Amino acid sequence: MEDMEENTSRSRSAGLNNRESIAHAGWAERLAPALLVLAGLAAWELAARAGWISTLFFPAPSSIAGTLAAWIVSGELAVNLGATLYRFGAGLAAGGAAGFAFGLVLGLSGRLRRILDPLVSGLYSLPKLALFPLFLIFFGLGDSSRIVLIALAAFFPMLINTMGGVQQINPDYLEIARSYGTSRGLLLRRVVFPGSLPSVLSGLRLAVGTSLMITVAVELINARTGLGAVIWMAWQTLRTEVLYVALLATATLGITSHVLLEFLSRRLIPWQMERGKELPTKAILEI
Amino acid sequence: MEFTCSQISKAYVSSNGRVTALQNLDLQAGIHEFLCVVGPSGCGKTTLLKLIAGIQSPSSGSIRFKTTAPKRTPRCAMVFQDHGLFPWMTILDNVAFGLEAQGIPVEERRRKAGRWLQTVGLEPFALHFPHELSGGMRQRAALGRAFLTDAPVLLMDEPFSALDAQTRLLLQTELLHYWAEKRQTVVYVTHDIDEAIMLGDRILIMSRRPGKILKEYRVPLSRPRTLRAAANPDAVALKWKIWKKIQAEVEARD
């Protein structure tokens, strides 16, 4: 037994070394894209100043940075980013929570699932944006029609992934839990919930993506504030610098939510994340 | 008797139609008895354990337990072939799960689980997840989850069959060691005749599907046993007898 443990600890440390070497390789590799971006920006700046490219399409990075600074100082960026963040956050929270709750119920109840599944599939395949005019009639021109649509966009991926996650739990685990006389509450809390969590988190990832997209889309169509509205206004007035600033802010929003999701996954499903780390697909493919 | 199965049958509907897994099976397990069930694969051994565990109920017949266990203690605790630890719980929480299901407070169950991990040398891995451990270590944790429940009946479904030969021998010896303390009634399913002789007081041979008990043998070895018991001439003779019986059963309808 001791032998075996020694073996395992040795293989553990070997795994660590391996991981470290991958991290080292990643350090140089991570610097490369930054350098590439910097070089690209420098070339762009040069080309714009020399008049090789039209500044209407590609205003010099320095002038975009100037506009960004002005927008930060005037508070316009904060107001519009805030409006977008509010709609996105409220819609995602409401739709995501509802999708999770309904997903759990439908995952657990075969009968409800059989009754509601055709309805869910039908509504899921409907492009949500097409409903926006109807929602404008229902909920008026204010934020509520936008938030309802964003919530709907978050609702379905959460519902479907949560439901699937509950259904896909290996029935062996349910039997094992039952063999120990587990109560229904404990079964939900200790088996069904954590067992479906990886799928719930991929649902959340999808929900974040689609609801951010719908947020920007409804702002493009109908809103006076928000990053989408700024982008549309910038196009109508041909203020390309502003357009780039708003795009930059939108991209930052997307990247930030992705990073937050990664962090959340690491905290909530460490057993899955660890497994992922032990199999660095990139390294395997490069061999 | 710890429990008695009388004339139990189990049929279920699969994609190939109706399957009778067990038919009119009789089995009696004495208190403190270590029973090994050996049979060809697909003979309904696992079904038998699930019926005894109460995870499934028989189509006909009855299983009666002597009921003297304290109220909260489950009658049976089961150990599964592929360890059956929950991948989302740490080793400590997995070992403590049987106690958690009994509603034992967190400090007490963690303390008991921790003591078990210390006994089997897994203390450094208490906060690791199952996939980070070797097969043998996982099965040691799974044994802990079953033993800690204090269930009077332990049901084991080929618990060591997925392990390499050496680890299997180690774990058989360890199992006998832990078992010797309380001598729970054990029903141990295996396809390994050596293992059955090494562990059991009595060996039941099951027929092919629909499964019933074909024959039983008493193991003529004293306890405590060591690996040497396998070399005992009586054990060798018994192994030969059991093998002939199983061979006849496997070949009978081919």
Side-chain angles (χ1 to χ4, degrees):
Chain A
M1 195 167 100
E2 246 159 42
D3 242 349
M4 217 180 64
E5 262 156 32
E6 203 187 324
N7 250 332
T8 329
S9 66
R10 204 176 300 143
S11 71
R12 284 185 67 79
S13 66
L16 264 173
N17 283 338
N18 196 21
R19 210 172 285 169
E20 262 166 36
S21 70
I22 288 166
H24 272 297
W27 191 74
E29 278 166 23
R30 234 177 289 157
L31 209 64
L35 287 175
L36 210 67
V37 169
L38 275 178
L41 282 177
W44 180 359
E45 180 79 34
L46 185 73
R49 289 196 184 200
W52 297 334
I53 51 174
S54 163
T55 48
L56 178 63
F57 302 135
F58 303 106
S62 57
S63 75
I64 295 174
T67 311
L68 175 64
W71 272 62
I72 291 172
V73 171
S74 70
E76 271 176 290
L77 184 70
V79 167
N80 289 295
L81 186 64
T84 299
L85 208 56
Y86 163 65
R87 292 165 191 149
F88 170 56
L92 180 67
F100 175 68
F102 276 86
L104 272 185
V105 172
L106 288 193
L108 289 169
S109 159
R111 182 187 287 172
L112 269 180
R113 191 164 58 239
R114 278 188 292 279
I115 294 171
L116 293 177
D117 203 37
L119 199 67
V120 169
S121 321
L123 286 176
Y124 177 57
S125 48
L126 180 78
K128 304 300 164 299
L129 207 53
L131 290 171
F132 190 44
L134 191 65
F135 283 9
L136 283 174
I137 297 173
F138 286 169
F139 305 106
L141 289 167
D143 260 350
S144 42
S145 54
R146 298 178 197 119
I147 291 173
V148 171
L149 193 73
I150 296 161
L152 199 66
F155 175 75
F156 283 100
M158 271 305 267
L159 168 75
I160 286 167
N161 277 276
T162 306
M163 183 172 83
V166 172
Q167 281 177 269
Q168 276 159 25
I169 293 174
N170 187 340
D172 287 350
Y173 292 133
L174 301 177
E175 261 187 0
I176 291 163
R178 231 177 313 143
S179 82
Y180 283 98
T182 312
S183 68
R184 201 168 163 72
L186 192 68
L187 189 74
L188 272 179
R189 194 157 53 79
R190 293 293 262 161
V191 182
V192 173
F193 180 68
S196 59
L197 207 49
S199 181
V200 170
L201 281 172
S202 23
L204 185 60
R205 204 163 288 133
L206 283 173
V208 165
T210 49
S211 52
L212 185 59
M213 190 173 73
I214 294 292
T215 306
V216 174
V218 294
E219 286 175 349
L220 285 174
I221 299 169
N222 167 282
R224 248 177 259 130
T225 54
L227 295 173
V230 172
I231 290 170
W232 195 254
M233 226 157 49
W235 135 249
Q236 287 189 316
T237 54
L238 281 183
R239 288 167 64 203
T240 329
E241 295 93 344
V242 175
L243 212 159
Y244 278 100
V245 167
L247 281 179
L248 204 66
T250 313
T252 310
L253 201 59
I255 293 166
T256 310
S257 38
H258 180 75
V259 170
L260 282 177
L261 272 172
E262 280 298 301
F263 173 75
L264 202 66
S265 298
R266 227 166 274 280
R267 291 300 298 271
L268 290 179
I269 47 171
W271 70 93
Q272 291 266 331
M273 302 308 286
E274 278 294 315
R275 207 171 295 178
K277 253 192 271 164
E278 273 170 22
L279 289 170
T281 30
K282 218 179 86 192
I284 289 169
L285 288 176
E286 277 172 12
I287 295 164
Chain B
M1 281 303 126
E2 184 70 54
F3 67 89
T4 308
C5 304
S6 16
Q7 294 286 298
I8 51 169
S9 299
K10 177 70 181 178
Y12 51 89
V13 181
S14 79
S15 47
N16 314 325
R18 207 175 142 85
V19 176
T20 310
L22 302 173
Q23 195 157 41
N24 299 333
L25 183 144
D26 284 309
L27 185 154
Q28 294 189 325
I31 295 168
H32 302 313
E33 190 174 30
F34 201 124
L35 268 180
C36 288
V37 179
V38 181
S41 46
C43 70
K45 291 174 289 195
T46 301
T47 307
L48 174 63
L49 288 190
K50 284 180 178 172
L51 292 180
I52 299 171
I55 305 174
Q56 296 178 2
S57 36
S59 312
S60 63
S62 68
I63 300 172
R64 260 187 301 273
F65 281 84
K66 161 192 86 106
T67 45
T68 53
K71 221 178 175 185
R72 267 193 153 161
T73 313
R75 275 199 297 236
C76 305
M78 198 154 166
V79 181
F80 299 81
Q81 183 176 359
D82 55 349
H83 68 81
L85 299 175
F86 300 111
W88 48 83
M89 288 183 203
T90 59
I91 293 299
L92 185 71
D93 281 352
N94 261 300
V95 173
F97 183 77
L99 300 173
E100 188 176 1
Q102 292 171 44
I104 286 167
V106 62
E107 298 85 21
E108 190 185 338
R109 63 175 191 252
R110 289 233 162 113
R111 198 178 57 240
K112 284 184 174 167
R115 215 181 301 143
W116 174 270
L117 291 179
Q118 220 167 0
T119 315
V120 299
L122 283 180
E123 218 187 0
F125 299 95
L127 299 179
H128 286 236
F129 289 100
H131 74 271
E132 299 175 291
L133 272 65
S134 70
M137 293 162 137
R138 285 197 283 245
Q139 213 47 278
R140 285 190 181 95
L143 285 180
R145 182 172 65 181
F147 271 95
L148 287 186
T149 58
D150 268 337
V153 179
L154 292 177
L155 304 171
M156 305 202 172
D157 188 5
E158 305 193 29
F160 305 147
S161 65
L163 305 176
D164 63 85
Q166 283 153 31
T167 312
R168 195 184 315 152
L169 289 181
L170 282 175
L171 275 161
Q172 287 167 4
T173 320
E174 286 177 35
L175 170 63
L176 285 180
H177 177 72
Y178 309 137
W179 173 73
E181 194 185 325
K182 286 195 183 132
R183 297 183 75 104
Q184 295 92 331
T185 302
V186 179
V187 182
Y188 190 106
V189 162
T190 178
H191 57 253
D192 181 342
I193 303 172
D194 286 324
E195 184 172 62
I197 294 173
M198 168 80 187
L199 298 175
D201 295 316
R202 197 151 54 99
I203 298 175
L204 307 176
I205 311 296
M206 262 176 94
S207 69
R208 296 213 316 189
R209 189 177 284 164
K212 53 181 181 296
I213 305 296
L214 269 185
K215 194 150 175 66
E216 60 169 80
Y217 299 91
R218 200 152 277 287
V219 179
L221 299 173
S222 60
R223 295 190 189 272
R225 293 180 197 167
T226 60
L227 283 176
R228 278 199 158 191
N232 180 307
D234 291 341
V236 176
L238 179 61
K239 181 184 176 182
W240 184 243
K241 262 200 280 184
I242 292 173
W243 170 241
K244 290 311 272 183
K245 190 74 196 164
I246 291 176
Q247 194 183 22
E249 179 61 16
V250 172
E251 285 172 357
R253 275 164 284 178
D254 271 344

